[in-house]
Amino acid sequence: MKALGAGFATTLRHLWRKPVTEEYPEYRRALPERSRARIVLTHDPDGGERCVACYLCSGVCPVSCISMQAAEMPDGRRYAAWFRINFARCIYCGLCEEACPTAAIQLTPDFENIQRDILKLVFEKEDLLVDGCGKDKTYNFYRWAGVATAAGGKGAHEREAPPVRVRSNLP
Ligand code: SF4
Ligand code: SF4
C-alpha cells in the first residue's frame, strides 16, 4: 500500500512539471555549423556545371548510392549525361565531397528530406543541381586542369606554361 502511494505521489509530482521534450517542427534546434545532410551539385563561377563525371564520388561512396554516365562536349569539357543519388541509402558520411576534384558535389545542412514513398528519395541531376557555387565561390576546375576548353586554351591555365614549340626546342 505504501509503495502504491509512493508511486502515485511520483506520478502527481511529474504531472505538473514542464515537459522537457522539444517539439519538432515548432522548435528547431540550431544546427552545428558543419552539419551534413542533403547533397547538391554546384556550378562554377562561370556558370558551367562543375561535375566532370570522373566517378570518384561513386567509387568512394561506402554504400554505392551514386551513379552516373559520363559524356563529353565538343570543346572537350566532360559532364554527367545523367547523375543519380539514392538518398534512401546515403549515410551522409561526406566522403563523396572529399573525393571530388572539382568541388561539384557538396553536402548542405538541409536534413528535412523525408518521403513516405522511398522512390522519391532517388534524386536525378535536375533535382541535385543548384544555381550557385556553394561553399567554394571561386574554384573553376578547368582554369587549373590544363584541358583546352572555353575556360582557357593550352597554356592559358593557372600555373601552366605556354605550349613548347617542338621545332624551336631541338638542339
Ligand atoms: S555522403 Fe557518403 S554515403 Fe552519401 S553519397 Fe556521399 S559518399 Fe555516399
Ligand atoms: S561530383 Fe565530383 S567526384 Fe563526382 S563525378 Fe562529378 S566531378 Fe567527379
Side-chain angles (χ1 to χ4, degrees):
M1 200 64 187
K2 194 176 159 196
L4 198 65
F8 273 122
T10 306
T11 307
L12 276 173
R13 231 182 8 260
H14 284 265
L15 210 58
W16 311 115
R17 277 170 67 163
K18 253 181 104 184
V20 289
T21 313
E22 291 167 353
E23 298 288 343
Y24 176 86
E26 291 79 13
Y27 177 79
R28 286 163 193 262
R29 186 178 280 223
L31 292 173
E33 201 182 322
R34 298 180 65 186
S35 57
R36 301 185 299 233
R38 187 172 62 88
I39 297 169
V40 294
L41 288 177
T42 59
H43 285 86
D44 63 33
D46 299 332
E49 280 178 24
R50 271 186 172 146
C51 177
V52 295
C54 66
Y55 294 94
L56 283 175
C57 55
S58 64
V60 79
C61 178
V63 293
S64 303
C65 68
I66 305 178
S67 50
M68 76 198 78
Q69 175 68 55
E72 197 170 305
M73 291 186 201
D75 68 359
R77 191 172 167 132
R78 283 169 57 100
Y79 68 101
W82 56 265
F83 192 104
R84 190 172 295 141
I85 298 181
N86 182 354
F87 283 109
R89 293 169 72 170
C90 178
I91 55 170
Y92 305 104
C93 63
L95 286 177
C96 50
E97 183 174 338
E98 280 185 42
C100 182
T102 66
I105 194 164
Q106 298 183 15
L107 280 84
T108 71
D110 175 22
F111 64 90
E112 293 172 314
N113 189 24
I114 307 302
Q115 301 287 342
R116 281 186 190 276
D117 179 0
I118 202 164
L119 288 180
K120 288 192 179 155
L121 287 169
V122 178
F123 277 42
E124 300 293 337
K125 186 171 140 181
E126 48 274 22
D127 307 316
L128 297 164
L129 266 176
V130 294
D131 291 338
C133 306
K135 295 167 196 164
D136 194 331
K137 308 280 182 225
T138 56
Y139 185 63
N140 181 339
F141 173 74
Y142 280 106
R143 286 193 198 151
W144 294 83
V147 182
T149 63
K154 277 279 175 201
H157 302 92
E158 314 264 348
R159 293 196 209 153
E160 187 184 33
V164 174
R165 287 192 65 236
V166 283
R167 284 177 187 277
S168 62
N169 203 25
L170 290 173

PDB file of all heavy atoms in Angstrom, residues 5 14 25-26 29 72 76 86-87 97 99 103 114-115 122-123 130 132 139 145 148 150 152 156 168 170:
ATOM      1  N   GLY A   5       1.174   4.184  -2.837  1.00  0.00           N
ATOM      2  CA  GLY A   5       1.042   5.629  -2.554  1.00  0.00           C
ATOM      3  C   GLY A   5       2.245   6.395  -3.070  1.00  0.00           C
ATOM      4  O   GLY A   5       2.108   7.471  -3.654  1.00  0.00           O
ATOM      5  N   HIS A  14       5.129  14.593 -11.193  1.00  0.00           N
ATOM      6  CA  HIS A  14       5.559  14.790 -12.578  1.00  0.00           C
ATOM      7  C   HIS A  14       4.451  15.371 -13.448  1.00  0.00           C
ATOM      8  O   HIS A  14       4.729  15.920 -14.511  1.00  0.00           O
ATOM      9  CB  HIS A  14       6.051  13.456 -13.175  1.00  0.00           C
ATOM     10  CG  HIS A  14       7.406  13.089 -12.685  1.00  0.00           C
ATOM     11  ND1 HIS A  14       8.548  13.401 -13.387  1.00  0.00           N
ATOM     12  CD2 HIS A  14       7.819  12.460 -11.559  1.00  0.00           C
ATOM     13  CE1 HIS A  14       9.601  12.964 -12.713  1.00  0.00           C
ATOM     14  NE2 HIS A  14       9.186  12.387 -11.599  1.00  0.00           N
ATOM     15  N   PRO A  25       8.113  20.189 -35.695  1.00  0.00           N
ATOM     16  CA  PRO A  25       8.998  21.255 -36.185  1.00  0.00           C
ATOM     17  C   PRO A  25       8.773  22.623 -35.541  1.00  0.00           C
ATOM     18  O   PRO A  25       9.368  23.597 -35.956  1.00  0.00           O
ATOM     19  CB  PRO A  25       8.628  21.322 -37.654  1.00  0.00           C
ATOM     20  CG  PRO A  25       7.169  21.006 -37.680  1.00  0.00           C
ATOM     21  CD  PRO A  25       6.950  20.029 -36.565  1.00  0.00           C
ATOM     22  N   GLU A  26       7.897  22.698 -34.481  1.00  0.00           N
ATOM     23  CA  GLU A  26       7.670  24.011 -33.850  1.00  0.00           C
ATOM     24  C   GLU A  26       8.978  24.563 -33.280  1.00  0.00           C
ATOM     25  O   GLU A  26       9.262  25.751 -33.386  1.00  0.00           O
ATOM     26  CB  GLU A  26       6.631  23.892 -32.730  1.00  0.00           C
ATOM     27  CG  GLU A  26       5.216  23.594 -33.196  1.00  0.00           C
ATOM     28  CD  GLU A  26       5.018  22.129 -33.537  1.00  0.00           C
ATOM     29  OE1 GLU A  26       5.897  21.303 -33.190  1.00  0.00           O
ATOM     30  OE2 GLU A  26       3.993  21.810 -34.180  1.00  0.00           O
ATOM     31  N   ARG A  29      16.119  23.288 -33.303  1.00  0.00           N
ATOM     32  CA  ARG A  29      17.413  23.487 -32.641  1.00  0.00           C
ATOM     33  C   ARG A  29      18.433  23.977 -33.662  1.00  0.00           C
ATOM     34  O   ARG A  29      18.431  23.504 -34.798  1.00  0.00           O
ATOM     35  CB  ARG A  29      17.854  22.150 -32.052  1.00  0.00           C
ATOM     36  CG  ARG A  29      19.089  22.217 -31.210  1.00  0.00           C
ATOM     37  CD  ARG A  29      19.351  20.848 -30.681  1.00  0.00           C
ATOM     38  NE  ARG A  29      18.498  20.583 -29.527  1.00  0.00           N
ATOM     39  CZ  ARG A  29      18.956  19.990 -28.436  1.00  0.00           C
ATOM     40  NH1 ARG A  29      20.202  19.614 -28.364  1.00  0.00           N
ATOM     41  NH2 ARG A  29      18.167  19.776 -27.422  1.00  0.00           N
ATOM     42  N   GLU A  72      30.925  13.943 -73.125  1.00  0.00           N
ATOM     43  CA  GLU A  72      31.915  14.999 -73.417  1.00  0.00           C
ATOM     44  C   GLU A  72      31.335  16.007 -74.393  1.00  0.00           C
ATOM     45  O   GLU A  72      30.682  15.633 -75.372  1.00  0.00           O
ATOM     46  CB  GLU A  72      33.164  14.351 -74.008  1.00  0.00           C
ATOM     47  CG  GLU A  72      34.372  15.260 -73.950  1.00  0.00           C
ATOM     48  CD  GLU A  72      35.651  14.513 -74.323  1.00  0.00           C
ATOM     49  OE1 GLU A  72      35.946  13.491 -73.696  1.00  0.00           O
ATOM     50  OE2 GLU A  72      36.324  14.973 -75.256  1.00  0.00           O
ATOM     51  N   GLY A  76      35.672  19.543 -75.378  1.00  0.00           N
ATOM     52  CA  GLY A  76      36.490  18.657 -74.547  1.00  0.00           C
ATOM     53  C   GLY A  76      36.089  18.647 -73.084  1.00  0.00           C
ATOM     54  O   GLY A  76      36.653  17.896 -72.291  1.00  0.00           O
ATOM     55  N   ASN A  86      20.826   8.011 -54.587  1.00  0.00           N
ATOM     56  CA  ASN A  86      19.736   7.362 -53.852  1.00  0.00           C
ATOM     57  C   ASN A  86      19.877   7.746 -52.375  1.00  0.00           C
ATOM     58  O   ASN A  86      20.674   7.159 -51.644  1.00  0.00           O
ATOM     59  CB  ASN A  86      19.818   5.848 -54.053  1.00  0.00           C
ATOM     60  CG  ASN A  86      18.687   5.131 -53.361  1.00  0.00           C
ATOM     61  OD1 ASN A  86      17.902   5.741 -52.640  1.00  0.00           O
ATOM     62  ND2 ASN A  86      18.596   3.835 -53.580  1.00  0.00           N
ATOM     63  N   PHE A  87      19.090   8.735 -51.962  1.00  0.00           N
ATOM     64  CA  PHE A  87      19.185   9.210 -50.577  1.00  0.00           C
ATOM     65  C   PHE A  87      18.620   8.214 -49.566  1.00  0.00           C
ATOM     66  O   PHE A  87      18.796   8.375 -48.368  1.00  0.00           O
ATOM     67  CB  PHE A  87      18.487  10.566 -50.428  1.00  0.00           C
ATOM     68  CG  PHE A  87      19.306  11.704 -50.959  1.00  0.00           C
ATOM     69  CD1 PHE A  87      18.945  12.352 -52.119  1.00  0.00           C
ATOM     70  CD2 PHE A  87      20.451  12.116 -50.303  1.00  0.00           C
ATOM     71  CE1 PHE A  87      19.708  13.389 -52.627  1.00  0.00           C
ATOM     72  CE2 PHE A  87      21.224  13.154 -50.798  1.00  0.00           C
ATOM     73  CZ  PHE A  87      20.853  13.783 -51.959  1.00  0.00           C
ATOM     74  N   GLU A  97      32.136  14.265 -51.128  1.00  0.00           N
ATOM     75  CA  GLU A  97      32.573  15.666 -51.193  1.00  0.00           C
ATOM     76  C   GLU A  97      34.097  15.770 -51.067  1.00  0.00           C
ATOM     77  O   GLU A  97      34.739  16.551 -51.754  1.00  0.00           O
ATOM     78  CB  GLU A  97      31.895  16.468 -50.081  1.00  0.00           C
ATOM     79  CG  GLU A  97      32.235  17.948 -50.110  1.00  0.00           C
ATOM     80  CD  GLU A  97      31.448  18.750 -49.089  1.00  0.00           C
ATOM     81  OE1 GLU A  97      30.384  18.302 -48.645  1.00  0.00           O
ATOM     82  OE2 GLU A  97      31.908  19.857 -48.747  1.00  0.00           O
ATOM     83  N   ALA A  99      36.249  13.509 -51.959  1.00  0.00           N
ATOM     84  CA  ALA A  99      36.910  12.923 -53.127  1.00  0.00           C
ATOM     85  C   ALA A  99      36.794  13.791 -54.364  1.00  0.00           C
ATOM     86  O   ALA A  99      37.602  13.672 -55.283  1.00  0.00           O
ATOM     87  CB  ALA A  99      36.307  11.548 -53.413  1.00  0.00           C
ATOM     88  N   ALA A 103      34.964  20.286 -56.718  1.00  0.00           N
ATOM     89  CA  ALA A 103      34.055  20.924 -55.741  1.00  0.00           C
ATOM     90  C   ALA A 103      32.609  20.919 -56.224  1.00  0.00           C
ATOM     91  O   ALA A 103      31.807  21.757 -55.827  1.00  0.00           O
ATOM     92  CB  ALA A 103      34.506  22.345 -55.409  1.00  0.00           C
ATOM     93  N   ILE A 114      12.625  13.972 -46.084  1.00  0.00           N
ATOM     94  CA  ILE A 114      11.970  12.707 -45.738  1.00  0.00           C
ATOM     95  C   ILE A 114      10.772  12.486 -46.673  1.00  0.00           C
ATOM     96  O   ILE A 114      10.043  13.432 -46.982  1.00  0.00           O
ATOM     97  CB  ILE A 114      11.473  12.743 -44.266  1.00  0.00           C
ATOM     98  CG1 ILE A 114      12.607  13.125 -43.319  1.00  0.00           C
ATOM     99  CG2 ILE A 114      10.862  11.410 -43.877  1.00  0.00           C
ATOM    100  CD1 ILE A 114      13.808  12.237 -43.353  1.00  0.00           C
ATOM    101  N   GLN A 115      10.607  11.264 -47.129  1.00  0.00           N
ATOM    102  CA  GLN A 115       9.487  10.935 -48.018  1.00  0.00           C
ATOM    103  C   GLN A 115       8.848   9.631 -47.559  1.00  0.00           C
ATOM    104  O   GLN A 115       9.545   8.733 -47.092  1.00  0.00           O
ATOM    105  CB  GLN A 115      10.000  10.749 -49.461  1.00  0.00           C
ATOM    106  CG  GLN A 115      10.687  11.947 -50.055  1.00  0.00           C
ATOM    107  CD  GLN A 115       9.724  13.061 -50.402  1.00  0.00           C
ATOM    108  OE1 GLN A 115       8.517  12.857 -50.510  1.00  0.00           O
ATOM    109  NE2 GLN A 115      10.267  14.254 -50.561  1.00  0.00           N
ATOM    110  N   VAL A 122      15.147   9.022 -54.588  1.00  0.00           N
ATOM    111  CA  VAL A 122      16.128   8.896 -55.676  1.00  0.00           C
ATOM    112  C   VAL A 122      16.120  10.217 -56.445  1.00  0.00           C
ATOM    113  O   VAL A 122      15.141  10.564 -57.086  1.00  0.00           O
ATOM    114  CB  VAL A 122      15.776   7.724 -56.613  1.00  0.00           C
ATOM    115  CG1 VAL A 122      16.773   7.635 -57.749  1.00  0.00           C
ATOM    116  CG2 VAL A 122      15.731   6.419 -55.826  1.00  0.00           C
ATOM    117  N   PHE A 123      17.209  10.966 -56.309  1.00  0.00           N
ATOM    118  CA  PHE A 123      17.312  12.300 -56.913  1.00  0.00           C
ATOM    119  C   PHE A 123      18.104  12.217 -58.216  1.00  0.00           C
ATOM    120  O   PHE A 123      19.192  11.639 -58.258  1.00  0.00           O
ATOM    121  CB  PHE A 123      18.009  13.266 -55.956  1.00  0.00           C
ATOM    122  CG  PHE A 123      17.110  13.876 -54.917  1.00  0.00           C
ATOM    123  CD1 PHE A 123      16.166  13.102 -54.263  1.00  0.00           C
ATOM    124  CD2 PHE A 123      17.215  15.214 -54.586  1.00  0.00           C
ATOM    125  CE1 PHE A 123      15.327  13.657 -53.299  1.00  0.00           C
ATOM    126  CE2 PHE A 123      16.393  15.780 -53.632  1.00  0.00           C
ATOM    127  CZ  PHE A 123      15.452  15.011 -52.979  1.00  0.00           C
ATOM    128  N   VAL A 130      22.135  22.967 -58.243  1.00  0.00           N
ATOM    129  CA  VAL A 130      21.734  24.276 -57.705  1.00  0.00           C
ATOM    130  C   VAL A 130      22.380  25.354 -58.570  1.00  0.00           C
ATOM    131  O   VAL A 130      23.338  25.089 -59.303  1.00  0.00           O
ATOM    132  CB  VAL A 130      22.169  24.445 -56.228  1.00  0.00           C
ATOM    133  CG1 VAL A 130      21.424  23.486 -55.338  1.00  0.00           C
ATOM    134  CG2 VAL A 130      23.679  24.269 -56.058  1.00  0.00           C
ATOM    135  N   GLY A 132      24.069  28.147 -57.746  1.00  0.00           N
ATOM    136  CA  GLY A 132      25.309  28.789 -57.322  1.00  0.00           C
ATOM    137  C   GLY A 132      26.498  27.854 -57.195  1.00  0.00           C
ATOM    138  O   GLY A 132      26.465  26.699 -57.611  1.00  0.00           O
ATOM    139  N   TYR A 139      36.366  28.581 -57.238  1.00  0.00           N
ATOM    140  CA  TYR A 139      37.092  27.499 -57.912  1.00  0.00           C
ATOM    141  C   TYR A 139      36.428  27.065 -59.220  1.00  0.00           C
ATOM    142  O   TYR A 139      35.239  26.791 -59.265  1.00  0.00           O
ATOM    143  CB  TYR A 139      37.212  26.293 -56.972  1.00  0.00           C
ATOM    144  CG  TYR A 139      38.048  25.178 -57.547  1.00  0.00           C
ATOM    145  CD1 TYR A 139      39.394  25.376 -57.818  1.00  0.00           C
ATOM    146  CD2 TYR A 139      37.493  23.944 -57.827  1.00  0.00           C
ATOM    147  CE1 TYR A 139      40.170  24.350 -58.356  1.00  0.00           C
ATOM    148  CE2 TYR A 139      38.264  22.918 -58.352  1.00  0.00           C
ATOM    149  CZ  TYR A 139      39.600  23.136 -58.618  1.00  0.00           C
ATOM    150  OH  TYR A 139      40.358  22.135 -59.149  1.00  0.00           O
ATOM    151  N   ALA A 145      42.985  22.802 -64.870  1.00  0.00           N
ATOM    152  CA  ALA A 145      43.162  21.420 -65.304  1.00  0.00           C
ATOM    153  C   ALA A 145      44.152  21.249 -66.443  1.00  0.00           C
ATOM    154  O   ALA A 145      44.677  20.175 -66.658  1.00  0.00           O
ATOM    155  CB  ALA A 145      41.814  20.836 -65.710  1.00  0.00           C
ATOM    156  N   ALA A 148      42.170  22.076 -72.707  1.00  0.00           N
ATOM    157  CA  ALA A 148      41.714  23.199 -73.525  1.00  0.00           C
ATOM    158  C   ALA A 148      40.193  23.180 -73.654  1.00  0.00           C
ATOM    159  O   ALA A 148      39.618  22.238 -74.193  1.00  0.00           O
ATOM    160  CB  ALA A 148      42.364  23.126 -74.902  1.00  0.00           C
ATOM    161  N   ALA A 150      36.504  26.183 -73.307  1.00  0.00           N
ATOM    162  CA  ALA A 150      36.122  27.594 -73.385  1.00  0.00           C
ATOM    163  C   ALA A 150      36.695  28.384 -72.215  1.00  0.00           C
ATOM    164  O   ALA A 150      36.878  29.603 -72.297  1.00  0.00           O
ATOM    165  CB  ALA A 150      34.602  27.693 -73.400  1.00  0.00           C
ATOM    166  N   GLY A 152      39.682  28.225 -71.170  1.00  0.00           N
ATOM    167  CA  GLY A 152      41.092  28.544 -71.426  1.00  0.00           C
ATOM    168  C   GLY A 152      41.726  27.528 -72.346  1.00  0.00           C
ATOM    169  O   GLY A 152      41.470  26.328 -72.205  1.00  0.00           O
ATOM    170  N   ALA A 156      46.951  28.570 -71.085  1.00  0.00           N
ATOM    171  CA  ALA A 156      46.235  29.725 -70.526  1.00  0.00           C
ATOM    172  C   ALA A 156      45.746  29.479 -69.098  1.00  0.00           C
ATOM    173  O   ALA A 156      45.130  30.342 -68.504  1.00  0.00           O
ATOM    174  CB  ALA A 156      45.037  30.045 -71.422  1.00  0.00           C
ATOM    175  N   SER A 168      61.466  24.557 -82.396  1.00  0.00           N
ATOM    176  CA  SER A 168      62.449  25.503 -81.873  1.00  0.00           C
ATOM    177  C   SER A 168      63.123  24.962 -80.622  1.00  0.00           C
ATOM    178  O   SER A 168      64.099  25.522 -80.132  1.00  0.00           O
ATOM    179  CB  SER A 168      61.756  26.833 -81.553  1.00  0.00           C
ATOM    180  OG  SER A 168      60.791  26.611 -80.555  1.00  0.00           O
ATOM    181  N   LEU A 170      64.489  21.962 -80.400  1.00  0.00           N
ATOM    182  CA  LEU A 170      65.518  20.962 -80.714  1.00  0.00           C
ATOM    183  C   LEU A 170      66.909  21.572 -80.593  1.00  0.00           C
ATOM    184  O   LEU A 170      67.103  22.760 -80.846  1.00  0.00           O
ATOM    185  CB  LEU A 170      65.298  20.442 -82.136  1.00  0.00           C
ATOM    186  CG  LEU A 170      64.044  19.571 -82.327  1.00  0.00           C
ATOM    187  CD1 LEU A 170      63.845  19.276 -83.807  1.00  0.00           C
ATOM    188  CD2 LEU A 170      64.168  18.281 -81.558  1.00  0.00           C
TER     189      LEU A 170
END
